[in-house]
mmCIF file of all heavy atoms in Angstrom:
data_model
loop_
_atom_site.group_PDB
_atom_site.id
_atom_site.type_symbol
_atom_site.label_atom_id
_atom_site.label_comp_id
_atom_site.label_asym_id
_atom_site.label_seq_id
_atom_site.Cartn_x
_atom_site.Cartn_y
_atom_site.Cartn_z
ATOM 1 N N ASN N 170 -7.823 7.276 -13.928
ATOM 2 C CA ASN N 170 -9.272 7.096 -13.914
ATOM 3 C C ASN N 170 -9.657 5.702 -13.407
ATOM 4 O O ASN N 170 -10.481 4.990 -13.996
ATOM 5 C CB ASN N 170 -9.862 7.328 -15.310
ATOM 6 C CG ASN N 170 -11.377 7.471 -15.261
ATOM 7 O OD1 ASN N 170 -11.942 7.952 -14.275
ATOM 8 N ND2 ASN N 170 -12.039 7.052 -16.337
ATOM 9 N N ILE N 171 -9.045 5.301 -12.294
ATOM 10 C CA ILE N 171 -9.356 4.019 -11.662
ATOM 11 C C ILE N 171 -9.612 4.252 -10.174
ATOM 12 O O ILE N 171 -9.181 5.260 -9.607
ATOM 13 C CB ILE N 171 -8.211 2.992 -11.823
ATOM 14 C CG1 ILE N 171 -6.921 3.524 -11.198
ATOM 15 C CG2 ILE N 171 -8.019 2.614 -13.287
ATOM 16 C CD1 ILE N 171 -5.775 2.512 -11.198
ATOM 17 N N THR N 172 -10.307 3.309 -9.562
ATOM 18 C CA THR N 172 -10.547 3.328 -8.118
ATOM 19 C C THR N 172 -9.871 2.106 -7.508
ATOM 20 O O THR N 172 -10.268 0.966 -7.806
ATOM 21 C CB THR N 172 -12.046 3.315 -7.792
ATOM 22 O OG1 THR N 172 -12.665 4.464 -8.372
ATOM 23 C CG2 THR N 172 -12.268 3.327 -6.291
ATOM 24 N N THR N 173 -8.868 2.333 -6.691
ATOM 25 C CA THR N 173 -8.120 1.223 -6.116
ATOM 26 C C THR N 173 -8.788 0.719 -4.838
ATOM 27 O O THR N 173 -9.594 1.420 -4.211
ATOM 28 C CB THR N 173 -6.675 1.640 -5.787
ATOM 29 O OG1 THR N 173 -6.698 2.674 -4.779
ATOM 30 C CG2 THR N 173 -5.971 2.154 -7.026
ATOM 31 N N CYS N 174 -8.445 -0.494 -4.476
ATOM 32 C CA CYS N 174 -8.924 -1.100 -3.229
ATOM 33 C C CYS N 174 -7.725 -1.535 -2.410
ATOM 34 O O CYS N 174 -7.009 -2.470 -2.794
ATOM 35 C CB CYS N 174 -9.836 -2.289 -3.526
ATOM 36 S SG CYS N 174 -10.360 -3.212 -2.058
ATOM 37 N N PHE N 175 -7.460 -0.834 -1.324
ATOM 38 C CA PHE N 175 -6.396 -1.115 -0.366
ATOM 39 C C PHE N 175 -4.998 -0.780 -0.883
ATOM 40 O O PHE N 175 -4.066 -0.683 -0.107
ATOM 41 C CB PHE N 175 -6.432 -2.595 0.080
ATOM 42 C CG PHE N 175 -5.499 -2.893 1.212
ATOM 43 C CD1 PHE N 175 -5.717 -2.362 2.469
ATOM 44 C CD2 PHE N 175 -4.382 -3.699 1.019
ATOM 45 C CE1 PHE N 175 -4.845 -2.622 3.516
ATOM 46 C CE2 PHE N 175 -3.514 -3.975 2.065
ATOM 47 C CZ PHE N 175 -3.749 -3.430 3.317
ATOM 48 N N ASP N 176 -4.836 -0.573 -2.171
ATOM 49 C CA ASP N 176 -3.506 -0.293 -2.700
ATOM 50 C C ASP N 176 -3.032 1.113 -2.367
ATOM 51 O O ASP N 176 -1.829 1.386 -2.431
ATOM 52 C CB ASP N 176 -3.489 -0.509 -4.222
ATOM 53 C CG ASP N 176 -3.419 -1.979 -4.582
ATOM 54 O OD1 ASP N 176 -2.678 -2.717 -3.908
ATOM 55 O OD2 ASP N 176 -4.128 -2.402 -5.512
ATOM 56 N N VAL N 177 -3.945 2.011 -2.052
ATOM 57 C CA VAL N 177 -3.582 3.355 -1.601
ATOM 58 C C VAL N 177 -4.296 3.600 -0.278
ATOM 59 O O VAL N 177 -5.523 3.723 -0.241
ATOM 60 C CB VAL N 177 -3.975 4.442 -2.622
ATOM 61 C CG1 VAL N 177 -3.546 5.816 -2.111
ATOM 62 C CG2 VAL N 177 -3.344 4.158 -3.978
ATOM 63 N N LEU N 178 -3.543 3.642 0.809
ATOM 64 C CA LEU N 178 -4.133 3.819 2.132
ATOM 65 C C LEU N 178 -4.128 5.277 2.553
ATOM 66 O O LEU N 178 -3.233 6.034 2.178
ATOM 67 C CB LEU N 178 -3.361 3.004 3.178
ATOM 68 C CG LEU N 178 -3.662 1.511 3.282
ATOM 69 C CD1 LEU N 178 -2.847 0.905 4.416
ATOM 70 C CD2 LEU N 178 -5.140 1.257 3.501
ATOM 71 N N LYS N 179 -5.092 5.627 3.360
ATOM 72 C CA LYS N 179 -5.098 6.955 3.973
ATOM 73 C C LYS N 179 -4.114 6.962 5.145
ATOM 74 O O LYS N 179 -4.236 6.141 6.058
ATOM 75 C CB LYS N 179 -6.497 7.305 4.469
ATOM 76 C CG LYS N 179 -7.542 7.426 3.367
ATOM 77 C CD LYS N 179 -8.897 7.734 3.976
ATOM 78 C CE LYS N 179 -9.935 7.952 2.865
ATOM 79 N NZ LYS N 179 -10.163 6.714 2.093
ATOM 80 N N LYS N 180 -3.179 7.872 5.130
ATOM 81 C CA LYS N 180 -2.253 7.957 6.249
ATOM 82 C C LYS N 180 -2.985 8.353 7.529
ATOM 83 O O LYS N 180 -2.551 8.029 8.637
ATOM 84 C CB LYS N 180 -1.151 8.973 5.949
ATOM 85 C CG LYS N 180 0.066 8.838 6.854
ATOM 86 C CD LYS N 180 1.223 9.683 6.363
ATOM 87 C CE LYS N 180 2.473 9.459 7.207
ATOM 88 N NZ LYS N 180 3.634 10.235 6.715
ATOM 89 N N SER N 181 -4.138 9.006 7.379
ATOM 90 C CA SER N 181 -4.949 9.392 8.524
ATOM 91 C C SER N 181 -5.756 8.237 9.095
ATOM 92 O O SER N 181 -6.524 8.420 10.049
ATOM 93 C CB SER N 181 -5.905 10.526 8.123
ATOM 94 O OG SER N 181 -6.761 10.097 7.066
ATOM 95 N N MET N 182 -5.583 7.036 8.517
ATOM 96 C CA MET N 182 -6.276 5.867 9.049
ATOM 97 C C MET N 182 -5.921 5.659 10.515
ATOM 98 O O MET N 182 -6.744 5.219 11.325
ATOM 99 C CB MET N 182 -5.911 4.624 8.231
ATOM 100 C CG MET N 182 -6.647 3.358 8.644
ATOM 101 S SD MET N 182 -6.192 1.917 7.642
ATOM 102 C CE MET N 182 -4.653 1.423 8.437
ATOM 103 N N LEU N 183 -4.668 5.975 10.871
ATOM 104 C CA LEU N 183 -4.214 5.944 12.254
ATOM 105 C C LEU N 183 -3.749 7.343 12.636
ATOM 106 O O LEU N 183 -3.185 8.064 11.802
ATOM 107 C CB LEU N 183 -3.095 4.921 12.438
ATOM 108 C CG LEU N 183 -3.512 3.455 12.220
ATOM 109 C CD1 LEU N 183 -2.312 2.536 12.246
ATOM 110 C CD2 LEU N 183 -4.539 3.016 13.262
ATOM 111 N N PRO N 184 -3.939 7.740 13.896
ATOM 112 C CA PRO N 184 -3.725 9.148 14.266
ATOM 113 C C PRO N 184 -2.281 9.631 14.248
ATOM 114 O O PRO N 184 -2.053 10.835 14.138
ATOM 115 C CB PRO N 184 -4.312 9.227 15.690
ATOM 116 C CG PRO N 184 -4.326 7.818 16.182
ATOM 117 C CD PRO N 184 -4.529 6.958 14.993
ATOM 118 N N SER N 185 -1.303 8.743 14.363
ATOM 119 C CA SER N 185 0.083 9.204 14.439
ATOM 120 C C SER N 185 1.034 8.144 13.921
ATOM 121 O O SER N 185 0.648 6.981 13.698
ATOM 122 C CB SER N 185 0.457 9.560 15.891
ATOM 123 O OG SER N 185 0.501 8.382 16.685
ATOM 124 N N LEU N 186 2.280 8.546 13.756
ATOM 125 C CA LEU N 186 3.310 7.614 13.313
ATOM 126 C C LEU N 186 3.513 6.503 14.334
ATOM 127 O O LEU N 186 3.777 5.348 13.976
ATOM 128 C CB LEU N 186 4.624 8.368 13.086
ATOM 129 C CG LEU N 186 5.759 7.586 12.409
ATOM 130 C CD1 LEU N 186 5.372 7.154 11.012
ATOM 131 C CD2 LEU N 186 7.035 8.432 12.381
ATOM 132 N N GLY N 187 3.369 6.852 15.609
ATOM 133 C CA GLY N 187 3.497 5.853 16.657
ATOM 134 C C GLY N 187 2.440 4.768 16.554
ATOM 135 O O GLY N 187 2.729 3.578 16.767
ATOM 136 N N HIS N 188 1.219 5.163 16.225
ATOM 137 C CA HIS N 188 0.151 4.176 16.049
ATOM 138 C C HIS N 188 0.427 3.272 14.853
ATOM 139 O O HIS N 188 0.138 2.068 14.897
ATOM 140 C CB HIS N 188 -1.198 4.889 15.880
ATOM 141 C CG HIS N 188 -1.724 5.496 17.133
ATOM 142 N ND1 HIS N 188 -1.322 6.743 17.576
ATOM 143 C CD2 HIS N 188 -2.621 5.036 18.055
ATOM 144 C CE1 HIS N 188 -1.958 7.034 18.700
ATOM 145 N NE2 HIS N 188 -2.745 6.025 19.012
ATOM 146 N N TRP N 189 0.982 3.844 13.794
ATOM 147 C CA TRP N 189 1.366 3.027 12.649
ATOM 148 C C TRP N 189 2.453 2.029 13.038
ATOM 149 O O TRP N 189 2.432 0.868 12.599
ATOM 150 C CB TRP N 189 1.858 3.906 11.499
ATOM 151 C CG TRP N 189 0.757 4.421 10.631
ATOM 152 C CD1 TRP N 189 0.234 5.681 10.601
ATOM 153 C CD2 TRP N 189 0.022 3.673 9.655
ATOM 154 N NE1 TRP N 189 -0.769 5.790 9.678
ATOM 155 C CE2 TRP N 189 -0.934 4.562 9.071
ATOM 156 C CE3 TRP N 189 0.056 2.361 9.210
ATOM 157 C CZ2 TRP N 189 -1.814 4.157 8.084
ATOM 158 C CZ3 TRP N 189 -0.835 1.949 8.219
ATOM 159 C CH2 TRP N 189 -1.751 2.845 7.671
ATOM 160 N N ALA N 190 3.393 2.455 13.866
ATOM 161 C CA ALA N 190 4.465 1.564 14.314
ATOM 162 C C ALA N 190 3.902 0.406 15.136
ATOM 163 O O ALA N 190 4.330 -0.752 14.985
ATOM 164 C CB ALA N 190 5.489 2.353 15.127
ATOM 165 N N VAL N 191 2.931 0.695 15.998
ATOM 166 C CA VAL N 191 2.296 -0.352 16.800
ATOM 167 C C VAL N 191 1.535 -1.322 15.900
ATOM 168 O O VAL N 191 1.598 -2.549 16.089
ATOM 169 C CB VAL N 191 1.351 0.269 17.849
ATOM 170 C CG1 VAL N 191 0.527 -0.819 18.531
ATOM 171 C CG2 VAL N 191 2.145 1.060 18.879
ATOM 172 N N PHE N 192 0.819 -0.791 14.911
ATOM 173 C CA PHE N 192 0.074 -1.626 13.979
ATOM 174 C C PHE N 192 1.010 -2.558 13.212
ATOM 175 O O PHE N 192 0.758 -3.764 13.077
ATOM 176 C CB PHE N 192 -0.707 -0.735 13.017
ATOM 177 C CG PHE N 192 -1.578 -1.478 12.043
ATOM 178 C CD1 PHE N 192 -2.636 -2.260 12.479
ATOM 179 C CD2 PHE N 192 -1.347 -1.384 10.679
ATOM 180 C CE1 PHE N 192 -3.452 -2.943 11.583
ATOM 181 C CE2 PHE N 192 -2.153 -2.055 9.777
ATOM 182 C CZ PHE N 192 -3.200 -2.839 10.224
ATOM 183 N N LEU N 193 2.124 -1.996 12.739
ATOM 184 C CA LEU N 193 3.109 -2.792 12.013
ATOM 185 C C LEU N 193 3.736 -3.835 12.919
ATOM 186 O O LEU N 193 3.932 -4.990 12.516
ATOM 187 C CB LEU N 193 4.193 -1.871 11.433
ATOM 188 C CG LEU N 193 5.368 -2.545 10.730
ATOM 189 C CD1 LEU N 193 4.896 -3.370 9.547
ATOM 190 C CD2 LEU N 193 6.382 -1.499 10.287
ATOM 191 N N PHE N 194 4.072 -3.445 14.157
ATOM 192 C CA PHE N 194 4.655 -4.373 15.128
ATOM 193 C C PHE N 194 3.716 -5.552 15.376
ATOM 194 O O PHE N 194 4.151 -6.711 15.432
ATOM 195 C CB PHE N 194 4.937 -3.630 16.432
ATOM 196 C CG PHE N 194 5.443 -4.524 17.535
ATOM 197 C CD1 PHE N 194 6.798 -4.817 17.662
ATOM 198 C CD2 PHE N 194 4.551 -5.072 18.461
ATOM 199 C CE1 PHE N 194 7.249 -5.643 18.678
ATOM 200 C CE2 PHE N 194 5.000 -5.895 19.484
ATOM 201 C CZ PHE N 194 6.354 -6.180 19.595
#
Side-chain angles (χ1 to χ4, degrees):
N170 193 31
I171 59 175
T172 300
T173 63
C174 174
F175 189 67
D176 282 320
V177 181
L178 280 183
K179 296 178 176 65
K180 197 170 185 178
S181 60
M182 184 180 81
L183 294 173
S185 68
L186 189 62
H188 287 83
W189 275 104
V191 171
F192 183 63
L193 175 60
F194 176 86

